[in-house]
């Protein structure tokens, strides 16, 4: 019922937006730029087992993202798109795995819907260019879940080996959560099935051995860097064992209080963020999840051998565990979005293709007409009002997009459900404008990539430039292909130095070095912390502090 033409056009459109993003959008100066900088430094130092960040010991994340990105840079060069490329391939593998997994239990149509839901979700559009460990993690976890489902069905050793290879890759990307998610998903499934024998299979010991072999290089590096040299300070805390940190502190320490981080910790934090990150599907997913739970209760918490609880159980149990953590960030829940996509796709198929839940269809139609209409109006405002340098043709095109959306919503078709077209058109259309207009213009206000561009254009000697009184920018180090030293005392500077600092420091340096000249002045806005004042061109100046590059001897 879901034609190949429609399916491939949607997936193809999403992939085009991913590709635009990795080439057109600079790295955001948060995790993505840090991981890109670490990967470049790893290649430069030729240190793949012991990991460093700007010359300092780094322990926060496992090494696989850095290994693959460094290998990619070794072949193709040090560019932001090259850093992103391995993660994009793994992400695409996760989308394909979502299709194949759903196809096993629900058939080809729901498999296609599942892949389309995941590929067009706002989270996936975001992490395809703002590449963090969660980009790869999502892919590895879903690949392992798919292969595990195939193994339980066909009992082929090739699938079994692939399961634990993918789990091992996930664990080397972000830790034990890569084992926890498929474990919870299938454990809940077999528990509800009362299929006890699946909990006691000798093959699992072979799987643990495969994971152990895969983790061995990483463990060797941790042991050499930390266990043999105990007491190194990470985030101000002495580390006695890198192995203990990886296997315990980084994951379970979020519950015991041993972990350094203390981000958002209230129970509904991840759910609240799903209202933007799982757009345009969140308001289909929530009733779908409720109906799935209701159906299970009606069956007295039992399912047949033909049914699956992997998606519902995997999502719920993972959410419950992550939501109790003392450290949460919005992207932590992304790992189970493939499972949420299958749950959503089944609901979409039931309501739009099988005509179940008909009493919900009209309400959902008008509700989504309002929500999607607001998103189109927002993108018109963003392209037309936020950045004055944007061509006036762009908001006009956004208005055309809104008109087409209204036409599609009113003129219903029997071939493809109207609400499905509305959701996909909104998601794809909005993200085309975000990737080609909003993000590229927003990132012009980020200091790191802007300063690196100026340094290259002015052909400044990077060895002469020091940082002072300004936040440390990983994007600056990456795009300049150089780690700039930071001096905390202005008296350490010499007349031949050049300084990258905040504009507020100009008077101090002119007092110490009267010949000081300003070579460049630019913006240093934290782009991940958008404010209404910044989005308003009239008040933007109050939100954008300035950085400067100073020449202390002032000679031409």
């Amino acid at each position: 019922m879901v034609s190949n033409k429609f399916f491939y056009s949607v997936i193809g459109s999403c992939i085009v937006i991913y590709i635009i993003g990795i080439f057109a959008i600079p790295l955001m100066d948060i995790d993505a730029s840090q991981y890109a900088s670490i990967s470049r430094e790893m290649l430069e130092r030729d240190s793949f087992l012991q990991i460093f960040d700007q010359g300092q010991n780094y322990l926060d994340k496992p090494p696989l993202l850095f290994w693959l990105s460094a290998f990619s840079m070794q072949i193709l060069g040090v560019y932001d798109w090259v850093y992103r490329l391995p993660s994009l391939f793994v992400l695409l593998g996760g989308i394909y795995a979502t299709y194949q997994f759903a196809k096993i239990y629900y058939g080809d149509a729901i498999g296609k819907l599942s892949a389309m839901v995941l590929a067009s979700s706002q989270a996936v559009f975001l992490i395809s260019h703002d590449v963090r460990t969660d980009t790869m993690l999502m892919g590895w976890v879903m690949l392992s879940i798919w292969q595990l489902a195939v193994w339980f069905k066909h009992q082929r050793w090739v699938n079994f080996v692939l399961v634990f290879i993918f789990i091992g890759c996930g664990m080397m990307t972000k830790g034990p959560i890569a084992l926890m998610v498929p474990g919870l998903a299938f454990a809940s499934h077999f528990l509800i099935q009362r299929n006890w024998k699946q909990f006691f299979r000798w093959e699992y010991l072979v799987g643990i051995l495969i994971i152990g072999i895969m983790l061995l290089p990483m463990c060797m590096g941790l042991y050499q860097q930390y266990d043999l040299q105990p007491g190194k300070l990470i985030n101000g805390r002495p580390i006695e064992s890198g192995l203990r940190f990886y296997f315990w502190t980084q994951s379970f320490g979020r519950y015991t209080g041993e972990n350094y981080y203390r981000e958002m910790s209230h129970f509904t934090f991840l759910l609240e963020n799903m209202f933007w990150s799982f757009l345009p599907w969140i308001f289909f997913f929530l009733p779908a999840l409720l109906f799935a739970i209701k159906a299970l209760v009606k069956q007295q918490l039992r399912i047949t051998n033909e049914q699956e609880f992997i998606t519902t159980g995997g999502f719920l149990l993972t959410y419950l565990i992550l939501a109790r953590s003392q450290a949460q960030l919005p992207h932590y829940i992304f790992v189970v979005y493939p499972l949420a996509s299958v749950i959503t796709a089944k609901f979409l198929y039931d309501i739009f293709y099988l005509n179940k839940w008909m009493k919900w269809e009209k309400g959902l139609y008008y509700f989504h007409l309002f929500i999607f209409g607001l998103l189109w109006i927002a993108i018109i405002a963003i392209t037309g009002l936020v950045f004055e340098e944007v061509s006036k043709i762009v908001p006009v095109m956004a208005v055309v997009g809104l008109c087409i959306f209204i036409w599609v919503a009113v003129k219903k078709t029997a071939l493809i459900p109207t609400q499905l077209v509305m959701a996909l058109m909104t998601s794809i259309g909005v993200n085309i404008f975000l990737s080609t207009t909003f993000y590229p213009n927003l990132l012009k206000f980020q200091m790191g990539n802007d300063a690196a561009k100026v340094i290259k254009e002015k052909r400044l000697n990077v060895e002469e430039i020091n940082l002072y009184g300004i936040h440390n920018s990983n994007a600056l180090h990456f795009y300049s292909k150089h780690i700039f030293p930071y001096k905390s005392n202005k008296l350490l500077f010499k007349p031949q130095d050049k300084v990258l600092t905040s504009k507020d420091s100009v008077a101090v340096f002119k007092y110490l070095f009267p010949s000081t000249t300003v070579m460049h002045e630019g913006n240093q806005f934290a782009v991940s912390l958008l404010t209404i004042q910044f989005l308003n061109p009239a008040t933007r100046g109050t939100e954008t502090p300035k950085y400067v590059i100073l020449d202390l001897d002032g000679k031409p």
Side-chain angles (χ1 to χ4, degrees), residues 331-556:
H331 53 271
Y332 288 0
I333 194 63
F334 292 2
V335 64
V336 287
Y337 276 7
L339 303 181
S341 298
V342 178
I343 296 169
T344 304
K346 186 177 182 302
F347 178 73
L348 293 173
Y349 188 80
D350 286 347
I351 195 172
F352 297 132
Y353 289 92
L354 299 184
N355 296 322
K356 294 182 180 179
W357 319 112
M358 287 297 293
K359 63 181 180 180
W360 284 76
E361 185 176 6
K362 190 172 182 180
L364 285 172
Y365 169 79
Y366 286 110
F367 180 78
H368 282 103
L369 180 63
F370 174 72
I371 295 296
F372 297 158
L374 284 181
L375 291 175
W376 277 105
I377 292 171
I379 208 67
I380 292 170
I382 287 172
T383 55
L385 302 176
V386 173
F387 299 113
E388 296 173 348
E389 59 270 33
V390 173
S391 170
K392 299 304 179 185
I393 297 176
V394 177
V396 171
M397 293 174 63
V399 171
V400 172
L402 173 61
C403 294
I404 296 174
F405 167 78
I406 295 173
W407 180 81
V408 167
V410 173
K411 183 179 174 60
K412 298 184 179 182
T413 173
L415 297 176
I416 304 172
T418 301
Q419 289 197 55
L420 193 61
V421 178
M422 288 165 56
L424 289 167
M425 180 184 173
T426 300
S427 179
I428 292 171
V430 165
N431 277 282
I432 286 175
F433 288 105
L434 289 176
S435 296
T436 58
T437 303
F438 179 70
Y439 286 129
N441 281 286
L442 172 66
L443 269 294
K444 291 178 182 178
F445 290 84
Q446 180 174 267
M447 182 197 75
N449 48 293
D450 181 68
K453 180 181 178 182
V454 170
I455 290 170
K456 182 178 179 180
E457 290 176 346
K458 293 182 177 292
R459 298 183 180 181
L460 302 181
N461 184 353
V462 294
E463 299 293 340
E464 297 178 350
I465 300 175
N466 297 268
L467 308 181
Y468 173 80
I470 200 166
H471 74 274
N472 201 353
S473 168
N474 288 289
L476 172 65
H477 303 304
F478 175 77
Y479 284 109
S480 298
K481 303 178 185 179
H482 177 78
I483 298 174
F484 295 91
Y486 184 93
K487 293 184 179 181
S488 58
N489 190 335
K490 56 186 174 294
L491 299 178
L492 296 175
F493 286 89
K494 300 176 181 179
Q496 62 268 30
D497 288 338
K498 293 179 175 62
V499 188
L500 198 160
T501 184
S502 64
K503 187 177 180 180
D504 295 341
S505 300
V506 172
V508 174
F509 279 100
K510 284 193 173 183
Y511 175 77
L512 294 172
F513 303 94
S515 299
T516 296
T517 58
V518 177
M519 302 182 68
H520 177 75
E521 178 180 315
N523 297 298
Q524 53 162 330
F525 178 71
V527 296
S528 62
L529 302 174
L530 286 176
T531 63
I532 297 297
Q533 289 79 9
F534 174 83
L535 294 175
N536 182 358
T539 58
R540 183 171 298 149
T542 63
E543 294 289 299
T544 51
K546 303 293 184 180
Y547 80 88
V548 292
I549 300 176
L550 303 178
D551 185 353
L552 299 186
D553 66 8
K555 294 180 181 178

Side-chain angles (χ1 to χ4, degrees), residues 271-286:
L271 177 61
E272 292 163 17
N273 280 277
M274 286 187 70
F275 282 92
W276 67 262
S277 62
F278 204 54
L279 281 172
W281 309 108
I282 181 62
F283 297 107
F284 292 112
F285 167 71
L286 292 177

Side-chain angles (χ1 to χ4, degrees), residues 3-231:
S3 69
N4 286 334
K5 184 177 180 181
F6 177 58
F7 172 68
Y8 289 124
S9 64
V10 170
I11 297 297
S13 299
C14 293
I15 292 175
V16 168
I17 296 175
Y18 303 159
I19 293 173
I20 290 172
I22 70 172
F23 282 100
I25 305 172
L27 295 170
M28 291 190 185
D29 218 344
I30 36 179
D31 289 350
S33 61
Q34 182 186 23
Y35 299 158
S37 181
I38 290 173
S39 303
R40 189 202 66 82
E41 187 175 353
M42 176 181 282
L43 181 63
E44 184 180 75
R45 296 173 68 110
D46 194 24
S47 175
F48 290 87
L49 294 184
Q50 299 188 34
I51 305 175
F52 299 90
D53 180 13
Q54 299 177 35
Q56 303 298 313
N57 291 289
Y58 178 83
L59 187 59
D60 193 40
K61 293 293 186 292
L64 186 60
L65 171 62
F66 312 135
W67 286 348
L68 295 179
S69 296
F71 179 68
S72 180
M73 291 177 192
Q74 188 174 40
I75 296 174
L76 300 172
V78 180
Y79 303 100
D80 50 13
W81 65 270
V82 176
Y83 156 72
R84 290 161 165 154
L85 209 55
S87 295
L88 180 61
F89 285 139
V90 178
L91 177 63
L92 293 176
I95 295 171
Y96 178 73
T98 303
Y99 161 70
Q100 290 290 353
F101 171 84
K103 184 179 177 181
I104 291 172
Y105 292 98
Y106 299 110
D108 185 69
I110 292 179
K112 290 175 180 175
L113 285 172
S114 300
M116 288 191 291
V117 168
L118 180 62
S120 60
S121 65
Q122 191 59 39
V124 171
F125 281 124
L126 177 62
I127 62 176
S128 64
H129 66 83
D130 187 24
V131 169
R132 307 161 182 244
T133 51
D134 302 87
T135 310
M136 274 193 180
L137 178 68
M138 179 191 289
W140 294 130
V141 167
M142 197 57 213
L143 284 164
S144 67
I145 289 175
W146 164 43
Q147 287 299 300
L148 197 52
V150 175
W151 179 67
F152 279 119
K153 183 175 183 179
H154 298 292
Q155 299 296 301
R156 292 192 297 252
W157 273 100
V158 63
N159 302 113
F160 179 86
V161 172
L162 285 173
V163 168
F164 289 93
I165 288 176
F166 292 141
I167 289 176
C169 288
M171 292 181 69
M172 287 192 294
T173 299
K174 202 174 179 178
I177 190 173
L179 175 61
M180 181 191 78
V181 174
L184 290 173
F186 280 89
S188 62
H189 174 73
F190 294 133
L191 179 66
I192 295 297
Q193 268 190 345
R194 310 299 194 268
N195 192 352
W196 309 115
K197 67 178 183 180
Q198 301 296 349
F199 288 93
F200 306 99
R201 300 191 60 160
W202 65 269
E203 293 96 331
Y204 299 150
L205 297 176
V206 179
I208 293 173
L209 178 62
I210 294 172
I211 292 175
I213 293 172
M214 292 196 65
L215 297 184
L216 189 59
M218 179 193 74
C219 291
M220 289 173 56
L222 289 171
Y223 184 77
Q224 293 171 3
Q225 192 168 2
Y226 299 100
D227 294 65
L228 291 179
Q229 306 173 65

Side-chain angles (χ1 to χ4, degrees), residues 239-311:
I239 301 296
E240 302 302 323
S241 171
L243 294 172
R244 186 181 191 279
F245 181 89
Y246 171 79
F247 286 104
W248 178 262
T249 309
Q250 182 67 336
S251 296
F252 303 103
R254 295 175 184 267
Y255 301 92
T256 63
E258 298 172 70
N259 193 286
Y260 165 80
Y261 294 103
R262 296 287 188 279
E263 288 109 347
M264 297 296 182
S265 60
H266 58 276
F267 185 77
T268 59
F269 174 77
L270 296 174
L271 177 61
E272 292 163 17
N273 280 277
M274 286 187 70
F275 282 92
W276 67 262
S277 62
F278 204 54
L279 281 172
W281 309 108
I282 181 62
F283 297 107
F284 292 112
F285 167 71
L286 292 177
L289 184 62
L290 290 175
F291 286 139
I293 296 171
K294 181 180 178 181
L296 182 64
V297 172
K298 279 188 175 182
Q299 294 180 214
Q300 298 181 333
L301 302 182
R302 295 182 72 105
I303 59 174
T304 66
N305 291 333
E306 289 72 37
Q307 294 176 305
E308 67 88 15
F309 190 68
I310 300 164
T311 51

